Amino acid sequence: MNIQRAVTALSLRLPTAGGRLERFDLSVPKDFPERVSGPLNRIALAAAHMVVEPLAEVDPWLTVAPDWERTIAFREHLWDLGLGVAEAMDTAQRGMGLDWPMALELIKRSVAASKRRDGAVVFSGAGTDHLDPGDARSLDDVTRAYEEQVAAIEAVGGRIILMASRALARLAKTPDDYAKVYGRILGQVREPVIIHWLGDMFDPALKGYWGTADLNRAMDTAVAVINDNAGKIDGVKVSLLDKDKEIAMRRRLDKRVRMYTGDDFNYAELIAGDEHGFSHALLGIFDAIAPAAAAALSALAKDDLASFHDIFAPTVPLSRHIFRAPTRFYKTGVVFMAYLNGHQDHFTMAGGQESTRSTLHLAELFRLADRAGLFRDPERAAERMRCVMAVRGVEA
């Protein structure tokens, strides 16, 4: 792609607050890489979305029909950029359209694809989502549910991300209950896992995780569980959207345990780190900004901190917009970016989730993505945006 071609003549009308339409001129895209071969000094996992088949004869709120070819092709795109894949996680609509049987099929296909290429990394989400929280009667029920998913993923050669459990959040009464369940699971895993602490802004059913709504006390429990089992833990991903709490927790972890930032608001400074340490990354926003992430991380690996921040800085407003409250609807923005950038030919999601964000939200997303230089083909992005706006009543 010749990124030097003039694209400023490309323009369309986008809605603004108050019901007005305003002309928006697209800028020249940035020269981000399509492949990265050099070593990185941070581990970076992108929580990847799932592409659905828009022409399947299904009821989208009730049935998921994946487009497996495009779904795996997107993972190939992430691996080309030197990023790993966090599979069957929240970004893939786990628990919001993607159930456990379909998640396991996705994991099987992703792990198989990774084994066909050198250096491709996949960690996959193991949880308890096949267990209806209302049917769980005891902590043993929760433990058995975790064991079932862990065993299924390990059986296909997968590495584990131990996801937070809605059933555990409902049943556990004390911090010791969490220590008991996690201790039993960690005692059985074949390889070190990533622990995932997902805040209730992403999933309201996880409020009070680790036995209390007080995040400082919850952190005490989480750190104790993690450090007591450090030999079985690769790292911990924290998704609280609170950089100070992540930094505080990072400094308390056993030296064998990595911190993976899940902070889609403050990832740049957390990855850069400070004199006491840094965070690796496991981020949903890396799905949407993968080429920029690869370029920034490559610069960091060359000790070019100025370029690292220059690349990431304009992506942060976009990420904060995509992940704005209600945060659980961020997947809509991630898939919209994949559509605008040609990774799929439609803006259709499992569970009809493409409807969770407003027309104004999508318009601002488009502006911010353009300012970050993220449209690899501005003409295509503009045409697709016009189509979406037209369906929503905007003559762009």
Side-chain angles (χ1 to χ4, degrees):
M1 179 178 66
N2 179 10
I3 67 162
Q4 296 304 317
R5 71 185 185 277
V7 295
T8 53
L10 282 174
S11 66
L12 67 164
R13 293 195 302 164
L14 296 176
T16 64
R20 295 181 297 107
L21 293 180
E22 186 175 85
R23 172 175 165 158
F24 181 76
D25 295 325
L26 279 81
S27 57
V28 176
K30 294 182 179 178
D31 190 12
F32 294 132
E34 294 185 1
R35 290 181 177 271
V36 170
S37 56
L40 303 178
N41 58 3
R42 301 288 190 272
I43 300 171
L45 305 176
H49 76 282
M50 180 181 64
V51 184
V52 302
E53 172 52 65
L55 302 181
E57 184 61 41
V58 298
D59 296 309
W61 281 25
L62 304 176
T63 309
V64 178
D67 180 336
W68 292 119
E69 183 177 352
R70 282 296 182 93
T71 295
I72 298 303
F74 189 78
R75 280 126 183 90
E76 297 281 359
H77 160 68
L78 296 173
W79 290 324
D80 284 345
L81 290 166
L83 305 178
V85 171
E87 192 56 274
M89 301 293 291
D90 193 52
T91 307
Q93 297 183 241
R94 187 77 175 264
M96 294 181 70
L98 184 70
D99 61 13
W100 165 239
M102 192 65 72
L104 181 57
E105 181 63 24
L106 174 58
I107 290 165
K108 288 178 180 177
R109 290 171 181 261
S110 189
V111 170
S114 74
K115 294 185 182 303
R116 295 193 289 267
R117 54 186 295 163
D118 293 336
V121 174
V122 181
F123 277 78
S124 302
T128 66
D129 47 319
H130 63 293
L131 174 65
D132 188 315
D135 292 337
R137 304 300 180 190
S138 68
L139 296 180
D140 286 339
D141 291 338
V142 177
T143 302
R144 282 191 291 269
Y146 266 131
E147 289 172 338
E148 180 179 336
Q149 292 200 14
V150 168
I153 294 170
E154 290 183 336
V156 301
R159 296 286 302 274
I160 302 296
I161 300 171
L162 205 59
M163 301 172 70
S165 165
R166 293 174 177 175
L168 181 57
R170 190 181 71 84
L171 285 171
K173 304 302 181 185
T174 68
D176 286 344
D177 289 339
Y178 286 88
K180 176 181 178 181
V181 172
Y182 276 89
R184 283 179 56 182
I185 300 304
L186 292 169
Q188 302 174 50
V189 295
R190 294 179 185 173
E191 297 180 86
V193 309
I194 297 174
I195 302 291
H196 188 190
W197 182 3
L198 189 68
D200 59 17
M201 68 288 294
F202 289 90
D203 185 345
L206 297 176
K207 187 175 181 60
Y209 212 74
W210 300 112
T212 174
D214 182 324
L215 289 179
N216 291 320
R217 291 168 54 201
M219 187 186 298
D220 290 340
T221 300
V223 169
V225 169
I226 291 164
N227 288 349
D228 285 348
N229 297 276
K232 290 299 187 87
I233 298 174
D234 173 274
V236 54
K237 167 187 160 77
V238 176
S239 298
L240 299 176
L241 303 182
D242 185 327
K243 66 178 181 180
D244 293 330
K245 285 191 167 46
E246 177 176 321
I247 292 169
M249 186 173 184
R250 185 172 74 196
R251 294 176 181 174
R252 296 174 62 185
L253 293 175
D254 185 288
K255 297 303 181 185
R256 293 170 289 177
V257 178
R258 299 181 177 96
M259 172 61 77
Y260 290 86
T261 185
D263 189 334
D264 300 278
F265 285 5
N266 303 291
Y267 50 90
E269 59 185 292
L270 290 164
I271 293 169
D274 56 30
E275 66 274 18
H276 300 290
F278 58 83
S279 296
H280 298 278
L282 196 169
L283 289 161
I285 194 56
F286 276 12
D287 180 298
I289 67 166
L297 292 168
S298 295
L300 184 64
K302 298 171 184 175
D303 295 321
D304 186 353
L305 196 59
S307 294
F308 169 85
H309 284 298
D310 285 346
I311 295 167
F312 264 150
T315 72
V316 172
L318 171 66
S319 186
R320 291 183 178 185
H321 180 71
I322 288 175
F323 283 80
R324 68 184 296 180
T327 302
R328 64 187 183 278
F329 295 145
Y330 78 86
K331 298 92 165 173
T332 302
V334 168
V335 174
F336 192 50
M337 281 292 296
Y339 168 61
L340 293 174
N341 267 324
H343 294 293
Q344 54 193 78
D345 295 328
H346 58 86
F347 180 37
T348 306
M349 298 175 65
Q353 290 288 309
E354 67 271 17
S355 67
T356 65
R357 292 299 200 184
S358 72
T359 303
L360 287 175
H361 181 92
L362 298 182
E364 183 62 12
L365 182 156
F366 187 88
R367 296 185 188 96
L368 293 170
D370 177 79
R371 290 168 190 157
L374 290 168
F375 293 140
R376 57 183 186 170
D377 184 341
E379 293 181 32
R380 175 177 56 202
E383 180 57 32
R384 292 187 168 190
M385 188 64 178
R386 289 188 190 99
C387 291
V388 171
M389 291 292 100
V391 168
R392 293 179 173 227
V394 178
E395 291 299 328

